[in-house]
């Protein structure tokens, strides 16, 4: 079994990459087809459910963020998250702005693309300021930051011993608020629409480290799972409304996929999925974040040449190219600038706290 001292869980790294790939394929084979009338794919009957890769992302965040933050200082957690998130995000943000501003493109939901909107987006806090996202995928980062703030509060107040109580109270709020709560301060902080995903990941990590008697954790998971399904059904209905197709998504397929995610995390929590054979495939996990942020640019290829070239060749070439671009961003942006950003922020926080 994998050592507790080893913070790399190969199965989660691999799942992270597969989740990003599923979102990419969903956008290329279904989302773009419905929105931009790009070529249809017979594979979209399954690949359209790739949007559930977001559920996997949030469950992984619940698991690994708790792993990296538990019993660590708030300063350590804050710096580690900023360094992890911002370099690749800034690249995606700037590229999106250049394309929209100089191409004079006005996507739905963004009334005016200007330098002021860019400034808001560069903070990654545009959602909290009530400003639109420059890039459609940025919405998930608002939820991530809300979750990070919760973890930061727990770290600052040293509430690690009270995690199960806090998670139970969070589930209670999630049940009362429902998935379609109007945007307000509590909505951004406690993210009821997707909170079950974060909570499930956290509970599975607590199960792995034997934080409490297993029955207590399983009890919370037994509450979390049906609530997660309930909220995902509401999201599914919203997706059908968005695409103006009541039959676009079937709840039983979604339930099966989410159930598989829960089973996967439970097996991981018990160390049943660990194998050294995953070490090298799991390295693809480092490409996840840039791939998620940048893959939307590939849709332009389907809009431009989708009806002129073989669509399956295009799908293969564009997907491979975006993975390659993600590697370039990881290798030459994230690896180069993360240490510099970490040093800079550490100096600033040290001067403030001194």
């Amino acid at each position: 079994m994998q050592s507790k001292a080893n913070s790399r869980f190969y199965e989660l790294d691999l799942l992270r990459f597969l989740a990003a790939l599923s979102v990419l394929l969903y956008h290329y084979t279904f989302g773009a087809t419905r929105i931009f009338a790009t070529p249809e794919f017979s594979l979209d009957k399954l690949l359209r459910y790739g949007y559930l890769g977001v559920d996997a992302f949030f469950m992984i965040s619940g698991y690994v963020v708790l792993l990296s933050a538990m019993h660590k200082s708030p300063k350590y957690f804050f710096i580690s998250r900023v360094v992890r998130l911002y370099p690749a995000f800034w690249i995606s943000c700037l590229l999106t702005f250049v394309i929209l501003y100089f191409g004079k493109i006005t996507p739905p939901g963004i009334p005016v693309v200007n330098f002021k909107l860019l400034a808001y987006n560069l903070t990654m806090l545009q959602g909290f300021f009530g400003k639109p996202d420059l890039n459609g995928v940025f919405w998930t980062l608002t939820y991530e930051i809300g979750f990070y703030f919760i973890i930061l509060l727990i770290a600052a107040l040293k509430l690690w011993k009270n995690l199960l109580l806090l998670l139970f109270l969070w589930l209670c709020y999630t049940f009362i608020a429902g998935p379609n709560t109007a945007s307000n301060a509590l909505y951004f902080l406690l993210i009821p629409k997707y909170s079950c995903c974060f909570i499930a990941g956290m509970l599975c990590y607590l199960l792995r480290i034997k934080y409490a008697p297993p029955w207590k954790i399983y009890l919370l998971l037994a509450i979390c799972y049906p609530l997660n399904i309930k909220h995902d059904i509401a999201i599914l209905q919203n997706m059908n409304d968005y695409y103006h197709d009541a039959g676009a998504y079937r709840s039983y397929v979604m339930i099966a996929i989410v159930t598989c995610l829960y089973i996967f995390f439970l097996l991981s929590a018990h160390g049943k999925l660990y194998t050294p054979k995953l070490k090298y495939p799991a390295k693809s996990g480092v490409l996840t974040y840039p791939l998620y942020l940048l893959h939307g640019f590939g849709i332009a290829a389907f809009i431009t040449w989708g009806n002129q070239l073989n669509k399956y060749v295009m799908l293969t070439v564009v997907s491979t190219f975006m993975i390659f671009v993600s590697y370039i961003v990881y290798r030459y942006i994230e690896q180069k600038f993360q240490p510099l950003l970490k040093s800079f922020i550490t100096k600033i926080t040290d001067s403030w706290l001194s």
Side-chain angles (χ1 to χ4, degrees), residues 308-354:
Q308 303 172 28
L309 304 175
N310 182 286
K311 59 188 177 182
Y312 289 101
V313 172
M314 276 198 66
L315 181 62
T316 302
V317 171
V318 174
S319 300
T320 302
F321 178 72
M322 295 314 302
I323 292 172
F324 171 73
V325 171
S326 301
Y327 171 76
I328 296 299
V329 171
Y330 163 72
R331 179 69 180 83
Y332 295 102
I333 302 297
E334 291 192 307
Q335 284 199 321
K336 298 289 185 182
F337 288 96
Q338 282 179 347
L340 297 175
L341 184 59
K342 181 178 181 179
S343 176
F344 175 71
I345 297 175
T346 300
K347 289 177 181 179
I348 291 178
T349 54
D350 286 345
S351 66
W352 285 352
L353 298 174
S354 61

Side-chain angles (χ1 to χ4, degrees), residues 17 68 101 116 157 215 250-251 277 279 305 310:
F17 175 75
S68 64
Y101 185 80
K116 185 176 181 180
L157 299 175
W215 69 267
R250 304 293 183 179
S251 58
K277 293 180 180 179
K279 180 178 180 179
W305 300 296
N310 182 286

Side-chain angles (χ1 to χ4, degrees), residues 65 69 72-79 81 145-160:
V65 169
K72 303 289 189 358
S73 70
K75 173 187 169 183
Y76 170 87
F77 177 70
F78 173 77
I79 293 174
R81 290 299 92 193
I145 289 176
F147 174 59
Y148 295 162
F149 186 71
I150 291 174
I151 297 298
L152 192 61
L153 282 178
I154 293 172
L157 299 175
K158 298 180 180 179
L159 297 175
W160 300 116

